[in-house]
Amino acid sequence: MSVLVVGSVAFDSIETPFGRAERVIGGSATYFSVAASFFTDVQLVGVIGDDFTEEHLDVFRGRPIDLAGLERVPGGKTFHWSGAYGFDLNVAETRATHLNVFADFEPRLPETFRQPDVLFLANIDPELQLGVLRQVRRPRLVALDTMNYWIASRKSDLERTIREVDLILINEAEVRQLTGDANLIRGARRIIALGPRTVVIKRGEYGVLMVTGELIFAVPAYPLEEVFDPTGAGDTFAGGFLGYLASVPDHGHPHMRRAIILGSVLASYDVEAFSLERLLQIDRSDIDRRYREFRELTEFGDLEPGAG
Ligand code: AMP
């Protein structure tokens, strides 16, 4: 069982109301891989420069993460994202995006990476996403993430890629931007009409909404008193969600629901500290504990006959 991710490996500079971090490790593929590695083998496809040292690569070590698809460009600099959040931590403001080695990135998959069970096309150019999909034998599940930038600048390329995937992870503002519909359920149905069977809508502190042809499933975010830095929450969610799905034999509704909870649990750890600090400290028992707490959070039982 394995999951393949293509996405960014980055340095992030972040400002939140609670502090600042300069050039800390980030990137969609980084967060995704660490989260997914709690459940399954991960194959990472991405690019770094010389400045991403062996020491930085320690985040991946001791975990089942295969870096054979992580290309290093000699003399190049690693992708660098700068962002800030106000008190509304659901809204990230991009201050600068230095693509560096990411600008000429053309993912080429090693031979050993061409038969993943699950494929995650993290937020990159939709044409590159399609190029990766063309290099693998059809996986059991293909999922895609995207962002407002691609919806605004490359909508038709993005829609072409969306037609070929099984599942899309997208935040609520992006559903509205992509579909022109203010209502999330109707927006999700419009995306389903394009091709994907499942739409997973990320709503920050309000949780996640999953919509398929037959099912609507909604969970709140884990109720933390202190959210420190939301960077990477979406990709960490995707890692827990798809890592679990790669590890189970079928993708029926019971496993899909559990996957949503596990994604939410992993994301709740990510947001407690900058970068991957907190994610690197936890183990399976921490995940299982919050999973049980989620059950209590959302359990309310049946009404007694005649009650009320
Ligand atoms: P999120 O899960 O949406 O918070 O993703 C945050 C991560 O996405 C950060 O660690 C950034 O390095 C990375 N990122 C931000 N902008 C881009 C972009 N345009 N392309 C690829 N990765 C990005």
Side-chain angles (χ1 to χ4, degrees), residues 140-153:
R140 284 200 291 151
L141 180 67
V142 178
L144 163 149
D145 189 10
T146 193
M147 72 185 290
N148 49 10
Y149 175 77
W150 303 117
I151 300 171
S153 63

Side-chain angles (χ1 to χ4, degrees), residues 122-299:
N123 162 36
I124 55 172
D125 183 324
E127 232 175 286
L128 295 185
Q129 291 178 319
L130 201 55
V132 170
L133 184 52
R134 298 265 187 265
Q135 293 178 53
V136 296
R137 197 193 61 183
R138 183 78 196 183
R140 284 200 291 151
L141 180 67
V142 178
L144 163 149
D145 189 10
T146 193
M147 72 185 290
N148 49 10
Y149 175 77
W150 303 117
I151 300 171
S153 63
R154 300 278 298 285
K155 192 162 174 189
S156 63
D157 286 336
L158 177 61
E159 283 183 350
R160 193 155 49 105
T161 305
I162 289 175
R163 281 177 214 286
E164 302 215 18
V165 306
D166 305 304
L167 184 148
I168 172 166
L169 290 133
I170 186 165
N171 72 35
E172 60 176 325
E174 292 160 357
V175 173
R176 297 191 175 107
Q177 187 187 0
L178 178 64
T179 65
D181 202 317
N183 180 283
L184 292 181
I185 305 292
R186 267 201 322 253
R189 301 243 182 268
R190 283 178 196 257
I191 296 174
I192 288 170
L194 289 176
R197 281 196 309 277
T198 308
V199 179
V200 175
I201 304 174
K202 299 172 284 182
R203 307 182 59 229
E205 67 182 296
Y206 306 112
V208 175
L209 180 66
M210 174 165 66
V211 182
T212 75
E214 316 89 48
L215 171 80
I216 296 181
F217 180 59
V219 291
Y222 181 84
L224 289 169
E225 292 206 11
E226 225 165 352
V227 175
F228 192 75
D229 170 26
T231 307
D235 300 302
T236 306
F237 172 87
F241 176 69
L242 295 174
Y244 174 75
L245 288 177
S247 77
V248 293
D250 71 83
H251 296 161
H253 291 167
H255 283 312
M256 295 296 284
R257 289 169 190 257
R258 287 172 205 147
I260 291 280
I261 304 297
L262 287 165
S264 306
V265 166
L266 267 296
S268 75
Y269 284 113
D270 167 51
V271 303
E272 287 186 331
F274 277 131
S275 189
L276 291 100
E277 242 170 74
R278 188 76 181 100
L279 284 177
L280 296 176
Q281 291 168 345
I282 61 169
D283 60 26
R284 189 55 206 244
S285 67
D286 296 307
I287 295 171
D288 293 345
R289 192 177 60 254
R290 281 200 181 168
Y291 185 92
R292 287 192 299 272
E293 287 171 19
F294 251 106
R295 263 191 96 138
E296 281 169 37
L297 178 70
T298 53
E299 169 70 55

